[in-house]
Amino acid sequence: MRKVLVIGAGGQIGTELVLRLREKLGSENAIAADVKADCPPSLKDGPFVQLDALDREAVRNFIIDQKITEVYLLAALLSATAEKKPDFAWKLNMEGLFTILDLAKEGHLKKIFWPSSIAVFGPTTPKDNTPQRTIMEPSTVYGISKQAGERWCEYYHDKFCVDVRSIRYPGLISYTTLPGGGTTDYAVDIFYQAKLGNKFSCFLEKDTRLPMMFMEDAIRATLDLMEAPAENIGIRSSYNLAGCDFTPEEIADEIKVHIPEFEIGYNADYRQAIAESWPSSIDDSHARQDWGWKEEFNLKDLVNVMLNNVNVDLLTQH
Ligand code: SER
């Protein structure tokens, strides 16, 4: 019997992941948790609890009392925000992970999902088709926290048999919840401005290529990884995962196929250096071999679905 807790359920990944887990396991078996007191409207038909990932005792008590078997720990500061609040980013991104890893080590949890990121790579990493195992010298607070987290996940698996699984997500594109604080978020904002008929000012240069993925692919990958037999999981740090990759100019050109009058301008800021330190494209052959990963959405598909579904009212609700 699986009973899962999604911590950080109000975020970009959490809102969609909880819905899919509820479809699979029944609403009562997929509990949403977030630091914000209000349950996101789309998750109101199932259990919700206010939990601060940094409140170790509260998280421990809830997981033990509710006999949770599986945790998805999504609470984190993303790359751009983490550069502005480095102390807090390190604290949030690491302490929450130890709380959950320790619960699993003590036998209270059967399985953990913890997201890593393409941010674990750095300026010295080979940029094209970046391999699973390569030079990793991340230059952002976020990347350093994710790399350290990956090392701890593998350590807890190897030393204490903790069944922890992870994906190095690329930039995630979705329309149900606005992302916050990421360097790849321009590729979500662009759709809102295109729908509003505004000229889009991009904070990255036009030829900055980054790995990206449509959220539906990311959720399917997460569920597949978590359901794969343990013996198939050859990587206990975190799996490289690729969807598609594109530059701001390429996504703008694809939007223009649908909205010919759409305009984009380029005003790079501090996020340009972050983006330049990351890969352009990812080799995900381990995920393909170990648990059958295959992406479904390319740039064309993603632009199509986004333009049909983004709701500009979300901008005023936040
Ligand atoms: N999308 C994330 C970011 O830009 C990368 O993990 O911070």
Side-chain angles (χ1 to χ4, degrees):
M1 186 60 185
R2 289 168 75 189
K3 190 168 182 192
V4 313
L5 177 69
V6 178
I7 301 178
Q12 195 197 6
I13 302 172
T15 42
E16 300 204 28
L17 183 65
V18 169
L19 289 179
R20 288 296 306 281
L21 286 166
R22 285 182 179 167
E23 277 166 32
K24 266 183 178 291
L25 308 174
S27 277
E28 67 286 4
N29 293 319
I31 303 172
D34 202 88
V35 67
K36 295 198 181 115
D38 293 330
C39 177
S42 63
L43 304 182
K44 284 213 157 101
D45 66 340
F48 173 81
V49 57
Q50 183 183 14
L51 264 186
D52 179 351
L54 286 175
D55 188 341
R56 189 175 162 94
E57 276 320 295
V59 172
R60 282 185 64 87
N61 290 340
F62 187 83
I63 287 171
I64 295 170
D65 289 351
Q66 296 291 317
K67 301 195 168 40
I68 302 292
T69 63
E70 208 170 302
V71 167
Y72 296 73
L73 177 59
L74 306 179
L77 284 200
L78 292 189
S79 59
T81 321
E83 290 305 296
K84 304 221 146 133
K85 299 181 186 169
D87 297 354
F88 180 67
W90 175 255
K91 192 174 163 66
L92 177 63
N93 294 3
M94 299 309 300
E95 284 182 19
L97 176 59
F98 279 117
T99 299
I100 302 302
L101 286 173
D102 286 337
L103 278 160
K105 175 184 162 187
E106 293 162 25
H108 296 295
L109 289 168
K110 289 198 167 66
K111 248 185 235 181
I112 298 170
F113 179 81
W114 177 79
S116 185
S117 160
I118 52 167
V120 293
F121 300 113
T124 51
T125 301
K127 263 185 141 14
D128 296 319
N129 217 19
T130 301
Q132 175 70 38
R133 296 188 174 93
T134 183
I135 301 167
M136 292 166 84
E137 296 179 326
S139 55
T140 61
V141 175
Y142 177 64
I144 295 168
S145 75
K146 288 297 180 187
Q147 196 196 34
E150 283 192 9
R151 297 289 87 227
W152 282 112
C153 286
E154 191 180 271
Y155 186 87
Y156 269 68
H157 171 265
D158 292 354
K159 292 276 186 294
F160 310 123
C161 298
V162 168
D163 190 352
V164 53
R165 305 174 183 205
S166 176
I167 286 172
R168 291 172 181 155
Y169 289 126
L172 297 179
I173 315 295
S174 68
Y175 56 81
T176 55
T177 309
L178 293 173
T183 301
T184 54
D185 293 355
Y186 87 84
V188 178
D189 299 339
I190 195 170
F191 291 102
Y192 289 88
Q193 300 311 319
K195 286 270 274 225
L196 286 167
N198 295 339
K199 179 173 177 178
F200 178 63
S201 171
C202 185
F203 58 70
L204 297 183
E205 303 283 6
K206 66 177 176 184
D207 53 358
T208 311
R209 180 174 299 283
L210 286 170
M212 301 279 188
M213 181 175 286
F214 187 56
M215 187 61 86
E216 206 171 305
D217 270 347
I219 301 291
R220 189 167 47 82
T222 308
L223 298 174
D224 286 355
L225 171 64
M226 289 301 275
E227 284 172 11
E231 60 272 22
N232 291 10
I233 310 300
I235 306 248
R236 292 296 184 159
S237 53
S238 188
Y239 277 97
N240 273 12
L241 200 72
C244 52
D245 51 83
F246 53 78
T247 65
E249 190 175 38
E250 286 168 358
I251 191 172
D253 285 347
E254 193 54 41
I255 291 173
K256 282 183 204 161
V257 171
H258 302 261
I259 307 176
E261 60 281 11
F262 175 65
E263 280 185 274
I264 183 168
Y266 300 94
N267 295 296
D269 65 15
Y270 70 100
R271 289 168 281 195
Q272 181 64 30
I274 300 180
E276 276 174 23
S277 76
W278 290 350
S280 308
S281 59
I282 297 287
D283 173 0
D284 61 0
S285 43
H286 284 271
R288 288 171 195 269
Q289 278 155 26
D290 290 1
W291 43 278
W293 161 247
K294 176 144 184 30
E295 79 290 347
E296 281 176 5
F297 288 81
N298 61 22
L299 174 60
K300 243 184 206 344
D301 306 324
L302 168 164
V303 168
N304 210 359
V305 183
M306 287 297 285
L307 285 176
N308 282 325
N309 288 284
V310 288
N311 169 12
V312 294
D313 293 343
L314 271 188
L315 294 177
T316 47
Q317 288 162 15
H318 281 255

